[in-house]
Every structure is written in C-alpha cells, then in structure tokens.
Amino acid sequence: GDSVTQTEGLVTLTEGLPVMLNCTYQTIYSNPFLFWYVQHLNESPRLLLKSFTDNKRTEHQGFHATLHKSSSSFHLQKSSAQLSDSALYYCALTSSGQKLVFGQGTILKVYL
Amino acid sequence: GGIITQTPKFLIGQEGQKLTLKCQQNFNHDTMYWYRQDSGKGLRLIYYSITENDLQKGDLSEGYDASREKKSSFSLTVTSAQKNEMAVFLCASRGTVYAEQFFGPGTRLTVL
C-alpha cells in the first residue's frame, strides 16, 4: 500500500535559519496528491500546502514545496525560520482520494 | 467556508465504559473521518464514511464502532475504554476539489 516517510522526528533550529523537512513517499499510482499539514500546540492539523503537479513549486505562508515524482519527494522548505513556526508537521499522500496516508510527523522547534 | 465541531472537548471515562464522541460539519462534504492521535505515533485512521449510512474500517477500527446517520454528522463509540488510555480523537471531512481534509478541534480522552 501507499506509505509516507518523514525521516526526522525532531528538527531544532535557530530563528532566521532555513527550514527543510523531508518527505518521501511510495505509491504505485502515477498521480498522487501530496499535502503538508501543520499542527500547533493544542490545535488541530491545518492544511499548509498541497500539490499534484510534477516539478511545480507550491507556496503558502512563506513555506514552499515541490513535488518531484522522479524521486518520490515533497520536501517542505522555508528560507528563514520564525519562532511561530514551531509546530508538528505532517506530510500526507492520497492516491485514491478517499484516504490520506500520513507520515509520522516532524516536530519543528525554533529557538532565539 | 465551513466548520467542524466536536463534542465533548474533554472526555473522562472509567475502564470498561462505553464512550461516544460526536462530530458535526457544515461544509456539506460527503466523506468524513475519525482519527486517533497518540503522542509520537502520528494520525491513525479509525473509521471513515463516504456517504450517509456508509462505514469503512480504517487501520485501527478494533475496539471502536461508528455511525453516520446524517450527512452532516459522524459519531464514534469506544466500545470498552482501556485503563490509562490517553489520546486525542480528531474528526475530519474531505473537500471535493483536491481531496484535502479539514479537521475538527478534537476530543481529548482520558481513561481512569
């Protein structure tokens, strides 16, 4: 079945440094939809980015990601981390449209 | 826009007790989901429903029942609460264009 791998459980950064959270996936379907969700403390997950177009950069709220089907990747990036970016980030995939498969999540902690 | 509401926000139960969680959405979405979120374990799908009176088991359905009597509501029952169980249960509904999911605020369960 489909799967999503987020290799880092915890990423810690100093404010102002670039952010990169890794996401790779496996699916037999050629047209998956990929998503990044962000979950702040005591809140529910909120959609941050989505993409289904190969090699096209998608951006929202300072974050960006590009779906690369050749490497089955959808890494989340930001040029300069802010304290308010501290949260839990999930990468997710759907190939059927009915079910989302989530990665284990990456906690991002940004310090002064 | 729309909103998903979950009741109750906090639920405290006793071991062996049957507990029911409720979810309502006014997006007019067809598909709804129940997830369980444990610390460090990501989001695990319990049940989902693609239309009124439909139920589909997820990866974690054992120990749970679900009910979708109306398009706008989806209930989850913990059939026998386990002692020391602590988790957040998230309800979601699926958008029609990109299959993104929108989450409710969650119900935090504690079993004494």
Side-chain angles (χ1 to χ4, degrees), chain A residues 33 35 37 39 42-47 50 52 88 90 94 96-100 102-105, chain B residues 31 33 35 37 40-43 45 48 50 59 90 94 97-105 108:
Chain A
F33 282 27
F35 305 88
Y37 282 82
Q39 185 177 19
N42 295 324
E43 295 182 5
S44 56
R46 173 176 58 84
L47 181 66
K50 59 181 180 282
F52 56 91
L88 174 59
Y90 287 109
T94 185
S96 67
Q98 290 294 357
K99 294 200 293 184
L100 275 180
F102 287 88
Q104 288 291 86
Chain B
T31 308
Y33 306 82
Y35 292 92
Q37 184 174 37
K41 290 188 179 177
L43 293 167
L45 182 64
Y48 69 104
I50 62 175
D59 300 323
L90 292 164
R94 185 177 76 98
V97 178
Y98 296 110
E100 71 270 36
Q101 292 183 19
F102 300 90
F103 287 85
R108 188 174 295 273

Side-chain angles (χ1 to χ4, degrees), chain A residues 38-100:
Chain A
V38 58
Q39 185 177 19
H40 286 95
L41 192 62
N42 295 324
E43 295 182 5
S44 56
R46 173 176 58 84
L47 181 66
L48 181 59
L49 289 172
K50 59 181 180 282
S51 180
F52 56 91
T53 306
D54 198 13
N55 297 317
K56 182 179 177 182
R57 175 170 160 147
T58 181
E59 299 188 41
H60 187 61
Q61 295 184 335
F63 287 90
H64 63 91
T66 303
L67 175 59
H68 291 295
K69 292 184 181 181
S70 60
S71 57
S72 298
S73 67
F74 190 56
H75 306 317
L76 182 67
Q77 299 182 68
K78 188 178 185 186
S79 58
S80 176
Q82 297 177 288
L83 291 175
S84 58
D85 294 330
S86 296
L88 174 59
Y89 291 81
Y90 287 109
C91 183
L93 156 78
T94 185
S95 51
S96 67
Q98 290 294 357
K99 294 200 293 184
L100 275 180

